[in-house]
């Protein structure tokens, strides 16, 4: 599992147009009563400036129109990331231009950001929320007023107000298990309202930081509403033979992973792992060392056990059988932890993730060791099967399930060679170590990006998703929570030792998984 931290990058890069406060603090923080009166007449703005992400320079462009329309684009060289909200739908555009809807906690996080961008804490006819004065707090040797804000009356964002200047200096936020701190400064008067032109955001225990320097802000401009609408045209970055309805590709199922052959740039033949838990295709750095691929920058990624920085490269093509992915940005990192899984005459090339699986309906047939890729035009799935709707979170399909009758959200991860990995917060919240059977140390541990962590194995009474009930499934319990396994939002991660009991269809165009009996005909 490897996930570019796109949502975190975008959510920390806003203008934060006005300064939040309460009562008299509020008026002082934005420049007085005149500023508050001016703020009420600001119905739109456009802002732009420079952004620095982990030392990588780029530009940001932001639009807002009342009451809650929002658009943010970050350009880092040839990498363009977008998040937007049209008043109803939240959406994003990823590193390869693929558009997907934001739902669940990612949508909530975006709306929380808009809560501040739209000055909703000052103008209550916009996004709902609340606030509370917490008193004085000492931070970094200085005393501040501390205020808690509750965007959507849900998560808490704490803000520290400078007691001398009355200006907002620090913001503390949390997104799932990631805690951020933003320092604000370089205030300018824009339309009579004091606005921070500089912010620096970092994350606790995560190698991610960003700095934002605003160059200009324009107020009360006309913005075409189409700027905020979710695009309907799909990026066309693959070649599929239109004369056939499907392509069947053999794979090897070994050590819990799905391995298949692929060719990079028409010349380098290597083996890839299929991984629905990866938000992008990732190359093993040594496999592309002699291909002279153009570097496009870098992005931080979250793995199942930690975080790392990943270089981005752009190959001309990746060919899987008669199917070809064209000109897609991919990651590049040391994946030598997989080298020992192949024979001496086989070279490991990397991971095929969201940028492969999201382009077509794909059926994984474990019993026949075949991957059937369907032409998305006019596709109709085979009859039967248990249809389970999914949502994309961090570009990973996630479904609702029940472990021993306890409901939770679970990632469906073809890159997980284990069975059902339960996240530490879910285990602790429901005291599962007291309720599971046959708990033993797991000598092999749990490995991936960020290293290896110890854990235990156990048996649950049951695990249910859709209309399917698995009796006495084996589960893995990490000893501590970090990386994806430290998520407080997700209950766990469904891997191949569960999925191999079925023939599974992944259809990202309709956001559904279909679990068939393993004997289903896929063509």
């Amino acid at each position: 599992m490897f996930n570019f931290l796109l949502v975190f990058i975008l959510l920390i890069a806003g203008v934060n147009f006005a300064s939040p406060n309460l009562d008299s603090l509020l008026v002082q923080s934005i420049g007085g009563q005149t500023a508050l009166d001016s703020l009420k007449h600001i119905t739109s703005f456009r802002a732009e400036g420079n952004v620095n992400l982990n030392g990588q320079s780029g530009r940001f462009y932001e639009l807002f129109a009342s009451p809650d329309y929002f658009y943010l684009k970050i350009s880092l060289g040839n990498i363009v990331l977008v998040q937007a909200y049209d008043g109803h739908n939240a959406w994003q555009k990823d590193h390869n231009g693929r558009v997907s809807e934001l739902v669940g906690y990612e949508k909530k996080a975006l709306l929380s950001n808009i809560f501040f961008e739209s000055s909703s804490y000052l103008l209550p006819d916009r996004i709902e929320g609340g606030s509370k004065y917490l008193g004085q707090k000492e931070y970094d040797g200085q005393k501040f007023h501390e205020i808690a804000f509750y965007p959507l009356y849900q998560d808490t964002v704490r803000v520290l107000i400078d007691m001398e200047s009355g200006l907002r200096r620090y913001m503390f936020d949390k997104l799932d298990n990631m805690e951020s701190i933003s320092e604000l400064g370089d205030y300018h008067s824009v339309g009579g309202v004091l606005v921070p032109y500089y912010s620096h955001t970092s994350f606790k225990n995560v190698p991610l930081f960003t700095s934002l320097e605003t160059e200009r802000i324009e107020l009360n401009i006309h913005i075409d509403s189409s700027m905020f609408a979710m695009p309907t045209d799909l990026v066309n970055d693959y070649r599929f033979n239109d004369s056939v309805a499907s392509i069947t590709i053999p794979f090897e199922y070994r050590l819990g992973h799905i391995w298949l052959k692929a060719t990079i740039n028409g010349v380098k033949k290597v083996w890839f792992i299929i991984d629905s838990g990866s938000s992008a295709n990732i190359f093993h750095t040594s496999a592309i060392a002699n291909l002279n691929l153009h570097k496009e920058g870098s992005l931080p990624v979250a793995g199942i056990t930690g975080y790392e920085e990943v270089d981005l490269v752009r190959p001309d093509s990746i060919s899987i059988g008669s199917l070809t992915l064209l000109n897609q940005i991919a990651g590049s990192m040391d994946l030598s932890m997989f080298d020992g899984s192949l024979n001496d005459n086989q070279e490991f090339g990397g991971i095929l993730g969201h940028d492969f699986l999201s382009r077509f309906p794909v059926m994984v047939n474990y019993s026949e060791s075949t991957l059937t890729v369907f032409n998305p035009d006019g596709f109709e799935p085979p009859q039967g099967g248990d249809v389970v709707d999914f949502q994309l979170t961090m570009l990973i399909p996630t479904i609702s399930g029940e472990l021993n009758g306890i409901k939770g959200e679970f990632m469906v991860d073809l890159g997980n060679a284990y069975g059902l990995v339960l996240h530490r917060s879910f285990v602790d919240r429901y005291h599962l170590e007291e309720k599971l059977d046959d708990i033993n140390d797991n000598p092999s541990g749990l490995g991936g990006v960020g290293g290896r962590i110890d854990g235990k194995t156990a048996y649950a009474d049951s695990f249910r998703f859709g209309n399917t009930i698995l009796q006495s499934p084996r589960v893995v319990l990490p000893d501590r929570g970090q990386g994806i396994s430290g998520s407080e939002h997700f209950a766990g991660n469904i891997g191949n030792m569960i999925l191999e009991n079925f023939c599974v269809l992944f259809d990202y165009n309709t956001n559904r998984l279909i679990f068939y009996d393993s004997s289903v005909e896929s063509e």
Side-chain angles (χ1 to χ4, degrees):
M1 171 183 288
F2 304 88
N3 303 102
F4 290 160
L5 299 174
L6 305 181
V7 65
F8 308 121
I9 294 165
L10 290 163
L11 290 178
I12 59 182
V15 169
N16 296 308
F17 178 71
S19 300
N21 216 314
L22 292 174
D23 304 327
S24 61
L25 288 177
L26 182 151
V27 177
Q28 180 184 0
S29 71
I30 63 173
Q33 185 61 46
T34 302
L36 182 59
D37 294 339
S38 298
L39 181 63
K40 295 176 182 178
H41 295 93
I42 296 174
T43 58
S44 66
F45 69 78
R46 175 170 55 223
E48 58 183 298
N50 298 315
V51 64
N52 186 293
L53 172 66
N54 284 19
Q56 187 175 195
S57 298
R59 299 282 295 176
F60 80 89
Y61 178 80
E62 182 177 349
L63 298 172
F64 167 79
S66 64
D68 52 13
Y69 298 92
F70 181 78
Y71 177 92
L72 173 64
K73 178 173 71 174
I74 293 179
S75 301
L76 300 166
N78 292 323
I79 305 168
V80 178
L81 309 172
V82 175
Q83 280 193 346
Y85 183 67
D86 64 4
H88 179 68
N89 294 311
W91 57 274
Q92 69 178 356
K93 183 179 289 187
D94 67 23
H95 52 284
N96 274 316
R98 188 76 170 184
V99 174
S100 59
E101 185 178 1
L102 289 172
V103 296
Y105 83 83
E106 287 184 310
K107 179 179 181 179
K108 184 175 67 173
L110 178 59
L111 290 176
S112 176
N113 191 43
I114 300 172
F115 175 81
F116 290 103
E117 297 296 292
S118 63
S119 305
S120 293
Y121 46 86
L122 298 166
L123 306 174
D125 58 330
R126 297 183 178 177
I127 294 178
E128 66 178 8
S131 56
K132 180 181 180 181
Y133 182 70
L134 299 180
Q136 296 184 11
K137 180 180 179 63
E138 184 170 329
Y139 180 77
D140 197 24
Q142 184 178 349
K143 285 187 176 181
F144 296 90
H145 295 291
E146 184 177 23
I147 300 170
F149 289 89
Y150 310 102
L152 307 174
Y153 293 107
Q154 295 178 8
D155 293 339
T156 303
V157 180
R158 294 186 300 110
V159 175
L160 300 185
I161 303 293
D162 190 300
M163 297 184 68
E164 294 184 5
S165 67
L167 298 176
R168 196 169 36 136
R169 282 286 305 278
Y170 296 98
M171 296 181 68
F172 300 85
D173 199 359
K174 187 174 182 179
L175 183 60
D176 195 10
N177 61 329
M178 293 181 63
E179 299 179 18
S180 70
I181 175 173
S182 298
E183 182 176 2
L184 310 176
D186 190 22
Y187 279 80
H188 291 232
S189 178
V190 181
V193 181
L194 292 176
V195 179
Y197 265 45
Y198 172 80
S199 68
H200 177 85
T201 301
S202 58
F203 287 82
K204 183 179 179 179
N205 300 323
V206 178
L208 171 63
F209 69 86
T210 185
S211 296
L212 185 73
E213 296 180 352
T214 303
E215 289 184 343
R216 63 182 63 87
I217 300 175
E218 299 176 82
L219 303 179
N220 294 333
I221 58 173
H222 172 72
I223 304 175
D224 192 316
S225 60
S226 64
M227 285 294 300
F228 306 103
M230 183 174 174
T232 56
D233 53 321
L234 296 177
V235 61
N236 186 9
D237 54 7
Y238 60 85
R239 184 167 56 243
F240 194 106
N241 188 343
D242 290 335
S243 65
V244 299
S246 64
I247 299 169
T248 299
I249 303 165
F251 66 75
E252 294 186 12
Y253 187 47
R254 185 188 310 157
L255 299 177
H257 285 120
I258 298 168
W259 301 82
L260 53 78
K261 297 179 184 178
T263 304
I264 307 171
N265 283 2
V267 294
K268 188 65 178 283
K269 297 181 179 180
V270 288
W271 287 79
F272 282 84
I273 289 173
I274 301 296
D275 185 359
S276 58
S278 176
S279 63
N281 300 329
I282 307 285
F283 292 124
H284 184 18
T285 302
S286 65
I288 60 172
N290 298 324
L291 295 181
N292 297 317
L293 301 184
H294 184 264
K295 185 177 177 180
E296 299 283 355
S298 63
L299 285 176
V301 300
I304 196 166
T305 62
Y307 304 89
E308 287 188 19
E309 186 87 4
V310 170
D311 290 333
L312 301 179
V313 296
R314 189 190 295 271
D316 292 330
S317 65
I318 304 175
S319 298
I320 309 107
S322 59
L323 178 70
T324 303
L325 306 176
L326 300 169
N327 200 33
Q328 290 185 355
I329 292 176
S332 172
M333 63 184 299
D334 181 7
L335 297 173
S336 55
M337 72 279 287
F338 296 108
D339 280 342
S341 302
L342 294 172
N343 299 325
D344 292 340
N345 61 341
Q346 297 174 322
E347 183 177 1
F348 177 55
I351 290 166
L352 294 176
H354 176 267
D355 291 323
F356 167 55
L357 292 166
S358 66
R359 269 51 176 182
F360 334 87
V362 176
M363 180 175 284
V364 183
N365 191 321
Y366 291 86
S367 63
E368 297 182 1
S369 295
T370 58
L371 198 75
T372 302
V373 183
F374 296 91
N375 191 330
D377 295 334
F379 168 72
E380 291 292 337
Q383 295 296 310
D386 184 13
V387 179
V388 180
D389 294 331
F390 70 77
Q391 297 179 338
L392 283 179
T393 307
M394 296 188 294
L395 301 181
I396 306 169
T398 61
I399 64 174
S400 297
E402 294 182 16
L403 182 85
N404 289 4
I406 303 171
K407 295 182 179 180
E409 297 296 313
F410 294 83
M411 299 177 172
V412 181
D413 185 5
L414 291 171
N416 172 4
Y418 308 92
L420 182 58
V421 178
L422 301 181
H423 292 172
R424 191 68 238 176
S425 62
F426 182 71
V427 173
D428 292 341
R429 186 182 310 129
Y430 295 105
H431 307 288
L432 292 181
E433 289 198 19
E434 302 172 8
K435 302 173 183 178
L436 299 175
D437 297 323
D438 194 25
I439 296 179
N440 291 287
D441 289 336
N442 182 15
S444 61
L446 188 67
V449 167
R452 181 169 295 276
I453 57 178
D454 295 329
K456 297 180 175 64
T457 63
Y459 288 90
D461 291 335
S462 65
F463 180 56
R464 176 173 184 162
F465 53 90
N467 295 315
T468 298
I469 301 177
L470 301 178
Q471 301 294 340
S472 300
R474 185 170 181 260
V475 298
V476 178
L477 292 67
D479 279 349
R480 62 186 188 278
Q482 59 189 57
I484 297 297
S485 67
S487 170
E488 297 176 5
H489 175 79
F490 295 106
N493 183 300
I494 304 171
N496 283 322
M497 291 181 67
I498 296 290
L499 301 175
E500 68 184 12
N501 296 289
F502 309 91
C503 187
V504 187
L505 175 70
F506 289 74
D507 188 352
Y508 286 69
N509 289 331
T510 59
N511 280 12
R512 61 183 174 178
L513 300 172
I514 306 181
F515 294 84
Y516 298 93
D517 182 272
S518 59
S519 62
V520 70
E521 292 291 332
S522 57
E523 293 187 87

